[in-house]
């Protein structure tokens, strides 16, 4: 009850601030430091589940959900080109719920099995440092956008991560990055929590290292991710634009691999893995892709095929 009251107070504070936003933004802020987003999401899901070894006779579970999400994002400039901070207030309120087969999509479930009514949270609170013109360090709650770890935006509010990340550009063509995160906040919750497997076993951290390189218009990316005692993932992708008299052809290809990295990967650790409990399992995943997009110039118009 006390936590619900705090969430309501914070959500009310966000809404109250929004109503005064035009005056505040006009008088005090420049360079688009303050951003307001309002998102509405609606789910109408037939809940079809494919049969598996662990669930040979799944039942269809239809449900509907709707929610309103509010993001208030502040991005500061660097004081003396050295230090700054970013902050984001998030709020979500339920708009509708069919009440049957309730599942976690837009808000968490309460202890009584019913969908939560609303919540508010400080989703991003980041201290950022620039030790040089070519480097940046971020510490705290932050959004992440790398090849293998991404903050997603397809729910009422995005998810965020807690940890430290760095970017360094030793050459104009080369960008390197590192990340270490020990907690995250799901899109449906106000709380930051540990990483866990689907068997609810704690993953101490996830760490990543990657690089982007641009060579005469050809962009290459490689990244390695390690979830301690659980999984390792790594891959490479290349984007190659080819210009012709008729337009441009964009080729995009890549290869990605995953491998179990400890005793946390086992049957039940991932719901999508079809296995039998008690029998040892492993992960040796691989995937390849090739994508082609053509942009044909026709007078002043572009036709994408």
């Amino acid at each position: 009850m006390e936590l619900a009251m705090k969430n309501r107070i914070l959500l009310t504070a966000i809404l109250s601030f929004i109503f005064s936003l035009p005056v505040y933004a006009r008088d005090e802020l420049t360079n688009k430091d303050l951003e307001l987003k309002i998102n509405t999401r609606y789910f109408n899901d037939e809940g079809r589940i494919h049969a598996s070894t662990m669930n040979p006779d799944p039942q269809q579970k239809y449900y509907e959900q709707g929610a309103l999400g509010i993001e208030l994002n502040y991005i500061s400039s660097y004081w003396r080109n050295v230090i700054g901070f970013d902050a984001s207030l998030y709020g979500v309120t339920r708009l509708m719920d069919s009440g049957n087969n309730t599942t976690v999509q837009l808000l968490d479930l309460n202890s009584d099995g019913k969908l939560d009514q609303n919540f508010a949270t400080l989703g991003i609170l980041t201290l950022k440092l620039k030790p040089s013109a070519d480097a940046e360090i971020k510490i705290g709650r932050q959004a992440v956008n790398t090849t293998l770890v991404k903050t997603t935006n397809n729910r009422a509010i995005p998810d965020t991560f807690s940890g430290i990340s760095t970017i360094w550009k030793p050459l104009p063509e080369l960008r390197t990055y590192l990340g270490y995160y020990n907690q995250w906040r799901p899109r449906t919750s106000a709380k930051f929590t540990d990483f866990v497997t689907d068997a609810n076993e704690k993953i101490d951290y996830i760490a990543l290292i990657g690089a982007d390189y641009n060579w005469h218009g050809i962009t290459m990316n490689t990244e390695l991710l390690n979830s301690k005692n659980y999984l390792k993932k790594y891959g490479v992708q290349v984007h190659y634009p080819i210009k012709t008299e008729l337009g441009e052809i964009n080729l995009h290809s890549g290869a990605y691999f995953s491998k179990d990295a400890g005793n946390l990967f086992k049957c039940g650790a991932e719901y999508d893995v079809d296995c039998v409990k008690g029998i040892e399992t492993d992960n040796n995943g691989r995937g390849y892709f090739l994508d082609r997009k053509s942009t044909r110039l026709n007078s002043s118009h572009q036709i994408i095929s």
Side-chain angles (χ1 to χ4, degrees):
M1 180 65 71
E2 182 181 350
L3 181 59
M5 181 60 69
K6 288 180 179 179
N7 283 339
R8 291 192 188 98
I9 292 171
L10 186 52
L11 188 59
T12 302
I14 294 174
L15 292 171
S16 300
F17 185 77
I18 287 168
F19 287 121
S20 63
L21 183 58
V23 175
Y24 182 71
R26 183 176 65 246
D27 291 343
E28 302 294 339
L29 297 175
T30 58
N31 301 323
K32 298 182 180 178
D33 288 337
L34 200 60
E35 177 188 52
L36 171 66
K37 291 183 179 180
I38 299 177
N39 310 309
T40 56
R41 296 291 185 267
Y42 170 72
F43 278 74
N44 185 319
D45 190 358
E46 294 182 352
R48 295 180 180 177
I49 305 173
H50 296 289
S52 65
T53 304
M54 299 183 69
N55 189 8
D57 186 26
Q59 302 298 312
Q60 185 171 332
K61 295 183 177 181
Y62 170 83
Y63 67 91
E64 289 182 272
Q65 286 181 25
L68 173 70
I70 299 171
E71 300 178 41
L72 189 59
N73 304 313
Y74 175 73
I75 301 174
S76 81
S77 56
Y78 282 93
W79 182 69
R80 294 193 174 183
N81 294 321
V82 174
I83 189 169
F85 78 95
D86 299 339
S88 293
L89 283 172
Y90 298 150
V92 179
T93 187
R94 188 180 71 204
L95 297 178
M96 61 87 61
D97 174 28
S98 59
N100 58 301
N101 302 317
T102 303
T103 185
V104 175
Q105 290 294 345
L106 299 172
L107 296 108
D108 275 350
L109 298 179
N110 292 322
S111 56
D112 59 4
K114 295 182 179 180
L115 204 64
D116 196 4
Q117 177 58 50
N118 54 60
F119 70 85
T121 184
L122 188 59
I124 291 178
L125 185 60
T126 308
L127 173 68
K128 53 188 185 181
L129 306 169
K130 282 188 74 70
S132 69
D134 302 320
E136 181 183 57
I137 301 171
K138 290 186 175 182
I139 304 170
R141 301 178 176 185
Q142 55 192 279
V144 180
N145 185 26
T146 74
T147 303
L148 296 174
V149 181
K150 288 183 180 293
T151 290
T152 54
N153 294 280
N154 56 1
R155 295 298 190 271
I157 58 172
D159 48 354
T160 48
F161 299 79
S162 180
I164 182 170
S165 61
T166 67
I167 295 175
W168 180 44
K169 293 188 68 174
L171 300 170
E173 306 86 3
L174 177 63
R175 183 183 76 109
T176 63
Y177 56 91
L178 300 167
Y180 174 94
Y181 311 99
N182 62 355
Q183 284 193 323
W184 76 308
R185 184 198 51 76
R187 303 167 293 187
T188 59
S189 174
K191 296 180 180 179
F192 278 77
T193 184
D194 294 330
F195 297 106
V196 295
T197 69
D198 287 343
N200 203 35
E201 292 185 303
K202 180 182 176 181
I203 301 170
D204 289 339
Y205 64 81
I206 60 173
L208 61 90
I209 181 172
D212 299 314
Y213 186 73
N214 189 304
W215 181 73
H216 297 292
I218 302 174
T219 304
M220 293 168 280
N221 169 266
T222 184
E223 186 169 314
L224 168 67
L225 173 106
N226 178 36
S227 303
K228 186 180 180 184
N229 290 332
Y230 184 49
L231 279 177
K232 286 184 179 179
K233 297 181 180 182
Y234 49 96
V236 62
Q237 59 178 319
V238 179
H239 178 227
Y240 181 33
I242 304 173
K243 293 184 177 180
T244 68
E245 293 181 354
L246 299 177
E248 187 174 85
I249 300 173
N250 286 284
L251 300 177
H252 188 197
S253 63
Y256 285 89
F257 308 90
S258 66
K259 185 175 179 58
D260 51 289
N263 55 16
L264 292 180
F265 189 87
K266 53 190 171 184
C267 188
E270 290 191 11
Y271 291 139
D272 294 336
V273 176
D274 191 5
C275 59
V276 178
K277 280 191 174 182
I279 297 179
E280 186 175 337
T281 185
D282 58 14
N283 180 295
N284 285 290
R286 59 184 64 87
Y288 311 91
F289 72 90
L290 174 63
D291 179 64
R292 173 185 174 273
K293 182 182 290 184
S294 300
T295 305
R296 179 163 57 89
L297 299 180
N298 183 9
S299 297
S300 60
H301 298 87
Q302 290 186 344
I303 302 175
I304 299 177
S305 60

